[in-house]
């Protein structure tokens, strides 16, 4: 279905009934989504990322074998650009573009893979390197070994920063000859289970969201030296959780004034005011996430999108420019929704 205007792409778990990669039109101003179609050529495309020019879309296949796939973004939706590429790692949960490569964080195998990106945006047929993490944590079920959960470039573009839930640490790496080279490993509190990191747009601070303890770690970031220094650990909930509470997503506003987190189980979004150029976080409020089990959140302009995995929907919220508080706008059904990415325009 041809449709002009801005697009959103939504990942989902096909093994749980998800439709694959959903394309939606984005209504200017409100950010409301209108589904246009779905592509179901990749199993469990749980995480997506777009090329900077918006012409290519990349997806993980979060399966035991582990793979990535490239798509050309057309007026009629994403079209496969070549075959899936095995990542030599199991259960990839995140991917990002870095220094001419596509990096994947492989949760199951506790590793990070690099796949070269060709000049036309398609992928090389094999990985150029795999960095295998080592270590463990005190949690008896979740931390018996490494579980790389996210990898992304820092704001300077010099470093690839990987978050490992199983080893309670963040790894800062460089890329040389297509191979990730460890530069520094930063230890976090044992048992915290770090899941994702988001950088403040000022470039000097970052926030690590912990899954196994509902907290957010404020860190100083030194891009020149590739040094991440934890400063403070802040609760993301106003009090002890009533039951399960597994933080999943963290996002920072483009102007750096606000930080939002999502917590599964409690099914809430938490709003923080970022002060001191990002050095301090003050919790403002929590609001319902608009569904059940918010797996990921995405902030774009004055709108926040939430992929609610278990209720099977994507909800959008308008963001108050003065307080950062989300106000529910609407939702669309997407079974087993897992992430949302938006084209720049």
């Amino acid at each position: 279905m041809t449709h002009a205007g801005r697009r959103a792409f939504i990942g989902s778990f096909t093994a749980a009934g998800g439709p694959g990669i959903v394309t939606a039109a984005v209504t200017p101003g409100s950010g409301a989504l209108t589904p246009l179609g779905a592509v179901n050529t990749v199993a469990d495309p749980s995480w997506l990322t777009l090329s900077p020019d918006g012409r290519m879309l990349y997806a993980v296949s979060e399966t035991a074998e582990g793979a990535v796939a490239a798509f050309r973004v057309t007026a009629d939706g994403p079209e496969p650009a070549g075959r899936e590429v095995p990542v030599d790692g199991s259960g990839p949960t995140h991917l990002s573009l870095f220094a001419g490569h596509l990096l994947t964080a492989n949760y199951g195998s506790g590793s990070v893979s690099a796949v070269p990106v060709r000049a036309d945006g398609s992928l090389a047929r094999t990985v150029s390197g795999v960095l295998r993490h080592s270590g463990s944590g005190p949690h008896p079920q979740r931390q018996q070994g490494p579980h790389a959960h996210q990898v992304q470039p820092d704001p300077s573009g010099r470093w690839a920063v990987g978050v490992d839930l199983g080893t309670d640490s963040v790894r800062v790496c460089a890329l040389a000859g297509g191979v990730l080279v460890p530069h520094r490993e930063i230890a976090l509190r044992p048992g915290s289970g770090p899941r994702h990191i988001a950088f403040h747009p000022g470039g000097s601070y970052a926030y690590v969201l912990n899954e196994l303890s509902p907290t957010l770690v404020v860190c100083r970031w030194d891009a020149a030296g590739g040094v991440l220094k934890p400063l403070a650990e802040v609760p993301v909930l106003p009090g002890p959780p009533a039951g399960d509470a597994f933080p999943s997503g963290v996002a920072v506003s483009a102007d750096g004034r606000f930080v939002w987190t999502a917590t599964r189980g409690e099914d809430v979004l938490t709003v923080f005011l970022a002060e001191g150029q990002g050095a301090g976080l003050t919790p403002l409020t929590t609001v319902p996430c608009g569904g059940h089990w918010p797996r990921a959140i995405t902030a774009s302009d004055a709108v926040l999108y939430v992929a609610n995995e278990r209720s099977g929907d994507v909800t959008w919220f308008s963001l108050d420019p003065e307080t950062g508080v989300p106000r529910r706008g609407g939702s669309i059904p997407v079974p087993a929704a897992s992430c949302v990415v938006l084209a720049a325009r």
Side-chain angles (χ1 to χ4, degrees):
M1 177 181 182
T2 301
H3 193 286
R6 195 179 188 194
R7 302 290 185 85
F9 302 97
I10 302 163
S12 67
F13 287 98
T14 57
I21 300 172
V22 174
T23 301
V26 181
T27 302
S30 70
L33 301 177
T34 302
L36 301 176
V39 177
N40 191 12
T41 58
V42 175
D44 291 338
S46 64
W47 198 268
L48 312 173
T49 194
L50 282 158
S51 61
D53 62 10
R55 296 180 180 179
M56 299 296 298
L57 178 71
Y58 302 97
V60 300
S61 178
E62 191 179 332
T63 58
E65 298 78 18
V68 287
F71 297 83
R72 300 196 189 283
V73 177
T74 74
D76 294 315
E79 295 183 352
R83 297 180 179 179
E84 292 182 26
V85 178
V87 297
D88 194 18
S90 66
T93 53
H94 190 271
L95 81 172
S96 60
L97 291 163
F98 177 70
H101 292 72
L102 191 65
L103 306 182
T104 68
N106 309 314
Y107 183 87
S109 53
S111 60
V112 176
S113 302
V115 179
V117 178
R118 295 167 173 161
D120 65 355
S122 64
L123 300 173
R125 294 186 178 182
T126 59
V127 300
S128 56
V130 179
L131 176 63
R132 305 189 188 281
H133 294 176
S134 61
S136 60
H139 193 287
Q141 286 81 40
R142 301 291 305 279
Q143 294 185 313
Q144 293 182 352
H147 292 299
H149 212 304
Q150 184 201 37
V151 61
Q152 68 172 20
D154 83 297
S156 76
R158 294 181 57 185
W159 308 102
V161 181
V163 180
D164 195 301
L165 183 148
T167 63
D168 291 318
S169 62
V170 177
R171 289 169 174 82
V172 179
C173 299
L175 190 71
V179 178
L180 284 169
V181 180
H183 170 70
R184 184 173 271 108
E185 182 177 355
I186 297 90
L188 300 179
R189 181 173 57 81
S192 55
R195 177 183 175 95
H196 274 200
I197 186 170
F199 288 90
H200 188 272
S204 296
Y205 294 94
Y207 312 105
V208 179
L209 184 67
N210 291 323
E211 177 175 336
L212 300 184
S213 60
T215 58
L216 193 61
V217 182
V218 181
C219 304
R220 185 185 300 279
W221 170 246
D222 173 19
V227 179
L228 187 75
K229 181 181 180 182
L231 301 176
E233 190 169 348
V234 182
V236 299
L237 299 173
D244 288 341
F246 301 117
S248 57
V250 55
V252 185
S253 63
D255 62 8
R257 294 177 60 210
F258 302 106
V259 176
W260 301 279
T261 63
T263 302
R264 295 166 294 180
E266 290 287 295
D267 293 343
V268 295
L269 307 172
T270 302
V271 187
F272 294 90
L273 176 66
E275 300 175 287
Q277 299 181 327
L281 293 181
T282 299
L284 298 180
T285 190
T286 60
V287 299
C289 71
H292 179 36
W293 214 252
R295 186 172 182 87
I297 58 176
T298 302
S300 178
D301 298 331
V303 182
L304 187 73
Y305 296 90
V306 183
N308 292 307
E309 181 184 353
R310 294 187 180 175
S311 55
D313 51 66
V314 173
T315 305
W316 58 90
F317 296 79
S318 61
L319 295 169
D320 187 298
E322 298 302 320
T323 66
V325 175
R327 180 178 180 181
R328 189 182 187 279
S331 67
I332 58 171
V334 179
S338 55
C339 77
V340 181
V341 296
L342 288 97
R345 278 289 173 250

